[in-house]
Amino acid sequence: MPKCNFVIRYDFVSNEIGSVQARGRARAKDAECYLLVTAGSINERRELENQEKEKFMMEALLEMDKLTEVDFDTKVKEEQARQLENWKAKQRNKSTRNSLIEAKDVKVYCRHCNRAVCDGTHIIHKGSNYICREPSLPDKCEIVFKRPQVYRTTDNVGLLFCGDPTCRNQYGPIIKFKKGQEETGYGMNVKSFLFDCGGGELRAISKWSKAPFDITEEPYA
């Protein structure tokens, strides 16, 4: 990015870091940076809040400069320990919530036609993908192969659709895993399904991470 001598932001405000970065574009000598927003608008309020946060940030940096190397290292380690404990607490809460329902008791259905797909034990979290290992899934679905979308560790080689010809709800991509033990997995877009978590009532789940049952984790490089 070349040095700018005139920067104008028009009705756009992100966070305090974004405000600092925007001014950082005006690096030429005698450069100027302006923000145009409607008086009394949400963006004006955000920018004023960002200015306060930036002030606190600068004060914190000045305080950090006063610390010795040993004190600075101690404070960093204390903060790391605090953040780790917060993360562990969240994981414990998540585990408690998920353990209330066993995966074997969860049934997965097509969101559009309620066609049975698999049960919760067949859902696997592999790397960044959620796939289904129900052995009979290919027989229940329509598989359409296409030109591969190539990524570093996987290729998307096709699409999986509901096997009901009057439905054809798209379930997710067909994924070829290239690292470690090679496998072709059937990707599962959580918004394509409904879940019976016991009691016969079908419900949607907005994200796999919010699933109320344990999903098997499988590491993938």
Side-chain angles (χ1 to χ4, degrees):
M1 173 69 71
K3 294 180 180 179
C4 300
N5 57 15
F6 203 66
V7 174
I8 299 176
R9 287 185 296 156
Y10 178 73
D11 206 26
F12 176 78
V13 180
S14 55
N15 55 24
E16 68 277 15
I17 296 174
S19 295
V20 172
Q21 289 176 333
R23 290 201 308 276
R25 302 297 186 194
R27 295 194 299 272
K29 185 178 180 180
D30 298 324
E32 296 178 322
C33 182
Y34 293 91
L35 169 66
L36 302 180
V37 295
T38 303
S41 66
I42 293 177
N43 277 337
E44 182 188 35
R45 178 173 56 79
R46 285 177 178 168
E47 182 63 16
L48 293 174
E49 289 174 354
N50 286 345
Q51 291 176 12
E52 283 297 308
K53 291 177 181 178
E54 187 180 342
K55 177 183 175 183
F56 295 147
M57 183 170 60
M58 295 304 299
E59 290 174 352
L61 289 172
L62 290 173
E63 288 299 317
M64 286 172 56
D65 285 340
K66 297 176 184 178
L67 297 174
T68 66
E69 185 175 345
V70 173
D71 289 340
F72 177 79
D73 187 58
T74 300
K75 284 189 173 294
V76 168
K77 289 179 178 179
E78 288 175 351
E79 181 61 22
Q80 288 175 332
R82 188 179 70 83
Q83 294 291 344
L84 180 60
E85 283 304 312
N86 287 342
W87 179 82
K88 287 180 178 179
K90 289 180 180 178
Q91 292 300 112
R92 286 193 294 268
N93 290 338
K94 178 182 176 182
S95 178
T96 301
R97 185 189 73 228
N98 288 355
S99 63
L100 296 176
I101 301 173
E102 294 189 42
K104 67 180 180 61
D105 297 326
V106 176
K107 306 301 179 186
V108 184
Y109 298 89
C110 174
R111 186 168 191 150
H112 291 177
C113 69
N114 292 355
R115 184 184 177 99
V117 178
C118 64
D119 67 46
T121 62
H122 295 123
I123 305 297
I124 308 294
H125 185 195
K126 185 170 183 175
S128 61
N129 298 285
Y130 287 85
I131 61 174
C132 179
R133 286 211 180 113
E134 159 64 70
S136 64
L137 185 65
D139 299 328
K140 300 177 182 178
C141 299
E142 179 184 352
I143 295 174
V144 177
F145 290 100
K146 62 186 180 94
R147 184 176 179 178
Q149 292 178 298
V150 179
Y151 302 101
R152 184 174 62 87
T153 58
T154 61
D155 293 343
N156 287 0
V157 298
L159 294 170
L160 192 70
F161 296 87
C162 177
D164 185 335
T166 64
C167 176
R168 295 197 80 248
N169 178 23
Q170 183 177 311
Y171 288 169
I174 301 172
I175 306 166
K176 180 180 179 182
F177 294 90
K178 299 185 288 189
K179 298 292 184 180
Q181 182 178 355
E182 291 191 1
E183 173 188 14
T184 297
Y186 301 103
M188 303 286 279
N189 179 353
V190 70
K191 293 184 179 179
S192 295
F193 304 99
L194 294 174
F195 301 82
D196 177 0
C197 298
E201 181 181 352
L202 297 183
R203 53 176 286 194
I205 296 174
S206 60
K207 299 179 181 179
W208 281 117
S209 60
K210 295 180 181 284
F213 58 95
D214 282 326
I215 295 177
T216 301
E217 299 274 348
E218 191 171 291
Y220 183 66

